[in-house]
Amino acid sequence: MQTFDKAALEAMNSRYRVNFINCLSGYKSLNLVGTINAQGQTNLAPFSSVIHLGADPALVGMICRPPSETEAGNNGSGRHTLDNLIATGWYTLNHVSAEMVESAHQCSARYPAGISEFDASGLTPEFSGECPAPFVAESRLRMAVHYREHHELLINGTTLIIGEIMSVTLPDDVLRESGYIDLDQAGTLSCTGLDSYHTGQRLLRLAYAKPDQAPRQIPEDS
Amino acid sequence: MQTFDKAALEAMNSRYRVNFINCLSGYKSLNLVGTINAQGQTNLAPFSSVIHLGADPALVGMICRPPSETEAGNNGSGRHTLDNLIATGWYTLNHVSAEMVESAHQCSARYPAGISEFDASGLTPEFSGECPAPFVAESRLRMAVHYREHHELLINGTTLIIGEIMSVTLPDDVLRESGYIDLDQAGTLSCTGLDSYHTGQRLLRLAYAKPDQAPRQIPEDS
């Protein structure tokens, strides 16, 4: 084992430090966020910061980096995303699977205004229901999200965006009896750091923990 | 494929809905959060909401559920955690690997005040450096975090806690030349929903995306 103290962390060169710190939170969710502006221009950006906030109402959060941020990956069109979802009130979240990971990563490139990441990456926009924002047709698990509010985090210029999940589309064979969704089977990827993509493999599922009971496994398909 | 619209989501029974919605954000990071109160009582709680906020300063966020929250897992001692880290200014984040996953899950049980989850789970508190909060000795990747600020999210009563990473301890063989940390090799687990734990397996790493270049892989060990 080795330990990096505050001085050692500060002594890292900028690029090394960005890679290092980005890995520390652990595995990250991976979603393509689809939006559209008032002129009908679509936008698609990978986000690795989508988190569950609550089930009732069904709220998700995500972090949008400041426009000056120069970190690679997962932030290419962050501000377009923020502007669009505030303007229209809607965005989509689309899980990324292996077949589409290179196209998803390419959406983090800094394309000029006026070029849609859908066109640049070859991913297919799909429109459905009341949500004006585009879904990614190639994605196996996708959601329409209604923008609710955002919070500027002045500590580092990032923005927490909160939205409510309004619809969910997923494959027939990944939903279990308890409501659990088998993301391994759905092919959903996670990511670590700035550039690494991972499949998941279930180790076990554990029953609701109680003080007077030892941990016990529950069936994988429950 | 099947689609659940807003009416279908609202018609789900509460338990089913909690399982379902909890899976939608994707794979979640898994950290044990160690704290101590002014009387020296330690606390340890699993959190699945730790996210990277920025590399300079090195900031991480995590969501603490309201005290009335009845969701299983990952919230058992959330409020003790919040109270303690505000009182002392410190907490630790400890990645969870397969050997300790059952003990980590057990820390989500609602133990009476006065019982430390370290004692209940058999995990070992370790104290090091200026951080008064306990590390988990069994954890292969652990951090001391200095509390910076918190934001009450009135939309659903959760709290966003923001802290600055002050030290990092990790195995010698997981750190790569670029600063990338190989979490697959570190044995770090992720989780999905309320009860499922996963290992990660790298699919590929991709170079910084540029508009005029096709996606290209980079060596796994870079």
Side-chain angles (χ1 to χ4, degrees):
Chain A
M1 303 283 276
Q2 56 186 318
T3 295
F4 296 84
D5 62 10
K6 186 165 170 62
L9 295 175
E10 287 175 348
M12 290 174 174
N13 79 52
S14 168
R15 192 78 210 146
Y16 188 97
R17 178 187 175 92
V18 165
N19 280 318
F20 185 86
I21 301 293
N22 253 282
C23 292
L24 294 175
S25 58
Y27 290 91
K28 303 191 282 191
S29 62
L30 177 60
N31 285 274
L32 282 168
V33 178
T35 56
I36 194 166
N37 70 12
Q39 289 71 48
Q41 165 90 46
T42 58
N43 189 277
L44 191 61
F47 276 72
S48 62
S49 58
V50 175
I51 52 171
H52 171 76
L53 281 183
D56 191 15
L59 298 179
V60 282
M62 63 185 190
I63 300 294
C64 190
R65 304 200 175 286
S68 63
E69 183 73 51
T70 56
E71 290 183 15
N74 304 323
N75 64 325
S77 305
R79 285 289 147 165
H80 293 160
T81 297
L82 181 60
D83 292 344
N84 290 353
L85 68 85
I86 290 175
T88 67
W90 288 89
Y91 53 110
T92 68
L93 295 177
N94 306 268
H95 285 203
V96 175
S97 47
E99 306 79 39
M100 53 188 286
V101 65
E102 296 193 345
S103 302
H105 185 80
Q106 189 64 23
C107 293
S108 66
R110 296 172 179 274
Y111 290 101
I115 293 189
S116 168
E117 291 80 6
F118 279 103
D119 296 330
S121 69
L123 292 168
T124 311
E126 185 173 294
F127 296 89
S128 173
E130 65 179 335
C131 175
F135 297 89
V136 178
E138 289 81 359
S139 172
R140 295 191 203 150
L141 199 162
R142 42 193 199 256
M143 293 157 263
V145 185
H146 193 200
Y147 164 70
R148 292 290 300 271
E149 63 186 41
H150 71 279
H151 301 260
E152 302 283 350
L153 304 178
L154 298 178
I155 193 168
N156 71 344
T158 55
T159 303
L160 170 65
I161 301 163
I162 299 177
E164 181 173 355
I165 297 169
M166 303 300 278
S167 79
V168 179
T169 298
L170 77 183
D172 293 319
D173 60 353
V174 302
L175 186 53
R176 301 290 170 256
E177 194 175 11
S178 66
Y180 175 75
I181 302 168
D182 188 332
L183 296 184
D184 296 356
Q185 185 166 336
T188 295
L189 299 182
S190 65
C191 59
T192 60
L194 297 171
D195 57 30
S196 186
Y197 297 92
H198 306 256
T199 57
Q201 181 162 8
R202 186 174 306 101
L203 183 68
L204 80 177
R205 293 179 63 187
L206 290 169
Y208 184 86
K210 296 183 178 177
D212 57 350
Q213 292 184 348
R216 60 194 192 290
Q217 292 195 35
I218 57 176
E220 284 207 8
D221 61 351
S222 61
Chain B
M1 303 284 276
Q2 56 186 318
T3 295
F4 296 84
D5 61 11
K6 186 167 171 59
L9 295 175
E10 287 175 348
M12 289 175 176
N13 79 53
S14 167
R15 192 79 211 146
Y16 188 97
R17 179 187 174 92
V18 165
N19 281 317
F20 184 86
I21 301 294
N22 253 282
C23 291
L24 293 176
S25 58
Y27 290 91
K28 302 191 282 191
S29 62
L30 177 61
N31 285 273
L32 281 168
V33 178
T35 57
I36 194 167
N37 70 13
Q39 289 73 44
Q41 165 91 43
T42 59
N43 189 277
L44 191 61
F47 276 72
S48 61
S49 57
V50 174
I51 51 172
H52 170 77
L53 282 183
D56 192 14
L59 298 179
V60 281
M62 63 184 189
I63 300 294
C64 191
R65 304 199 174 288
S68 64
E69 184 72 53
T70 57
E71 290 184 14
N74 304 324
N75 63 326
S77 306
R79 286 289 148 166
H80 293 159
T81 298
L82 180 61
D83 292 345
N84 290 353
L85 69 84
I86 290 176
T88 68
W90 289 90
Y91 53 108
T92 69
L93 295 177
N94 306 268
H95 285 203
V96 174
S97 48
E99 308 79 39
M100 53 187 286
V101 65
E102 296 194 345
S103 302
H105 185 80
Q106 190 63 24
C107 293
S108 67
R110 296 171 179 276
Y111 289 103
I115 292 188
S116 168
E117 290 81 6
F118 279 104
D119 296 329
S121 69
L123 293 168
T124 312
E126 184 173 296
F127 296 90
S128 173
E130 66 179 333
C131 175
F135 297 89
V136 178
E138 289 81 359
S139 173
R140 295 191 204 149
L141 198 162
R142 42 193 198 256
M143 293 157 263
V145 186
H146 194 200
Y147 163 70
R148 293 289 300 269
E149 63 185 41
H150 70 280
H151 301 260
E152 302 284 350
L153 305 177
L154 298 178
I155 193 169
N156 71 345
T158 56
T159 304
L160 170 65
I161 300 162
I162 299 177
E164 181 172 355
I165 297 168
M166 304 299 277
S167 79
V168 179
T169 299
L170 77 182
D172 292 320
D173 60 352
V174 302
L175 185 53
R176 303 290 170 255
E177 194 175 11
S178 66
Y180 175 76
I181 302 168
D182 188 331
L183 296 184
D184 296 357
Q185 184 166 337
T188 295
L189 299 182
S190 65
C191 59
T192 60
L194 297 171
D195 56 30
S196 187
Y197 298 92
H198 306 256
T199 57
Q201 182 162 8
R202 186 173 306 101
L203 183 69
L204 79 178
R205 293 180 63 187
L206 291 168
Y208 184 87
K210 296 184 178 177
D212 57 350
Q213 291 184 349
R216 59 194 193 291
Q217 292 195 36
I218 57 176
E220 284 207 7
D221 61 351
S222 61

